Amino acid sequence: MESNRTWITEVILLGFQVDPALELFLFGFFLLFYSFTLMGNGIILGLICLDSRLHTPMYVFLSHLAIVDISYASSTVPTMLANLAMHKKVISFATCILQTFLYLAFAITECLILVVMCCDRYVAICHPLQYTLIMNWRVCTVLASTCWIFSFLLALVHITLILRLPFCGPQKIDHFFCQIMSVFKLACADTGLNQVVLFAGSVFVLVGPLCLVLVSYLRILVAILRIQSGESRRKAFSTCSSHLCMVGLFFGSAIVMYMAPRSSHSQEQRKILSLFYSLFNPMLNPLIYSLRNAEVKGALKRVLWKQRSMCRIIWGILSV
């Protein structure tokens, strides 16, 4: 029986099965959002690197989040755009597995970075006098490194379990990228173990951290209400409410995607959910976390002023 099986070497991504005219509109729409994602996160990353005033734990973690968001979106969106524009629906099986690995790794990293950012805000608001002692550069480096290493190791576990399966068809994936649950359907063997490990991983990466975030923000809220200064209280509320909003959107959509019963959502609804946290969420993160932040706005003004002054100097030299 094993010798008679034909092992697949290519995968067909069905993507969004719509009219050609609508495909062109979706291509322009998603390309615009992808461009905003790259530009917004790139600006944040550049400002944090260039402005020494932003070399603090909060912005170090924000720089990691920007890197994750750029990588996260880039692991799936270019394939989707090629599918829409050039009708390039066929990719190699190896590329499909690589995309699944990268997507999982960056998704898990984003979850953990969001939790670390929550811990940073908790220490800053609830223990302000010990903040610099607790959140020193060594601790920040260890936390960020742990997020990346653990995420890639967990993604590697999932991929290892996938590669032990025989894949003999069907070749079609009803999605716009190689999402792990869609890849399971390509296997011609029981995927029960894979689904159990995926569910357990989702509980560990999504439910556990989300509970930690909610408990931390409950304590943060109590600490904020005790602040006497109205300006300090407003600033703390602004920072934490935006963070909590994006955490809720990201974790909520991911939990619905990976932990809700399959029958409760159609495949098209799952595509929209995937699109939300793989494209829209990375685009919104710079707006929510940074570009509305007074310190980041100040850094942007300083960088633009330096560039303007430099251009004047160069122009003056050239004029002479």
Side-chain angles (χ1 to χ4, degrees), residues 87-129:
H87 303 286
K88 187 181 178 182
K89 298 181 181 293
V90 179
I91 63 172
S92 68
F93 182 71
T95 303
C96 181
I97 294 298
L98 177 61
Q99 186 181 60
T100 304
F101 170 72
L102 293 176
Y103 180 80
L104 283 173
F106 293 131
I108 297 168
T109 306
E110 176 139 359
C111 289
L112 299 181
I113 290 291
L114 289 173
V115 174
V116 169
M117 289 172 63
C118 166
C119 294
D120 173 72
R121 290 300 86 204
Y122 169 76
V123 176
I125 294 174
C126 297
H127 304 282
L129 299 179

Side-chain angles (χ1 to χ4, degrees), residues 52-295:
S52 59
R53 300 184 192 184
L54 299 183
H55 294 175
T56 62
M58 174 182 173
Y59 293 105
V60 168
F61 294 134
L62 273 174
S63 68
H64 282 275
L65 185 65
I67 293 171
V68 172
D69 283 335
I70 291 172
S71 306
Y72 191 28
S74 299
S75 67
T76 59
V77 177
T79 303
M80 178 180 66
L81 294 176
N83 190 319
L84 289 169
M86 300 179 291
H87 303 286
K88 187 181 178 182
K89 298 181 181 293
V90 179
I91 63 172
S92 68
F93 182 71
T95 303
C96 181
I97 294 298
L98 177 61
Q99 186 181 60
T100 304
F101 170 72
L102 293 176
Y103 180 80
L104 283 173
F106 293 131
I108 297 168
T109 306
E110 176 139 359
C111 289
L112 299 181
I113 290 291
L114 289 173
V115 174
V116 169
M117 289 172 63
C118 166
C119 294
D120 173 72
R121 290 300 86 204
Y122 169 76
V123 176
I125 294 174
C126 297
H127 304 282
L129 299 179
Q130 292 85 28
Y131 178 71
T132 54
L133 181 65
I134 297 173
M135 299 301 294
N136 56 57
W137 285 110
R138 183 180 178 183
V139 171
C140 292
T141 303
V142 169
L143 287 173
S145 301
T146 302
C147 290
W148 285 96
I149 294 170
F150 175 80
S151 301
F152 275 78
L153 287 177
L154 184 55
L156 188 61
V157 169
H158 288 299
I159 295 302
T160 303
L161 290 175
I162 286 175
L163 292 177
R164 59 179 279 278
L165 297 170
F167 289 91
C168 48
Q171 289 180 280
K172 296 180 179 179
I173 291 181
D174 188 11
H175 218 296
F176 58 85
F177 74 103
C178 291
Q179 200 256 359
I180 185 168
M181 291 189 292
S182 299
V183 174
F184 288 165
K185 296 177 182 179
L186 301 178
C188 46
D190 181 38
T191 59
L193 177 61
N194 299 74
Q195 293 180 19
V196 168
V197 173
L198 180 63
F199 184 83
S202 300
V203 171
F204 185 76
V205 174
L206 295 174
V207 179
L210 181 59
C211 292
L212 178 62
V213 168
L214 293 177
V215 171
S216 298
Y217 270 102
L218 184 60
R219 298 192 64 177
I220 288 173
L221 178 61
V222 173
I224 290 175
L225 293 176
R226 291 175 180 170
I227 297 175
Q228 300 297 324
S229 170
E231 179 63 22
S232 299
R233 187 186 303 172
R234 186 198 62 78
K235 184 178 179 181
F237 262 124
S238 176
T239 302
C240 294
S241 61
S242 60
H243 185 193
L244 189 59
C245 176
M246 289 311 300
V247 165
L249 289 173
F250 182 84
F251 278 84
S253 59
I255 288 172
V256 170
M257 183 70 191
Y258 289 102
M259 301 188 69
R262 288 192 218 174
S263 58
S264 61
H265 302 283
S266 67
Q267 186 60 27
E268 295 303 316
Q269 288 175 324
R270 289 182 176 274
K271 290 179 187 178
I272 294 172
L273 278 173
S274 298
L275 192 63
F276 178 82
Y277 62 78
S278 64
L279 179 60
F280 298 152
N281 204 73
M283 185 197 69
L284 291 174
N285 277 342
L287 299 174
I288 297 297
Y289 287 118
S290 303
L291 296 181
R292 63 190 296 270
N293 184 294
E295 292 177 344

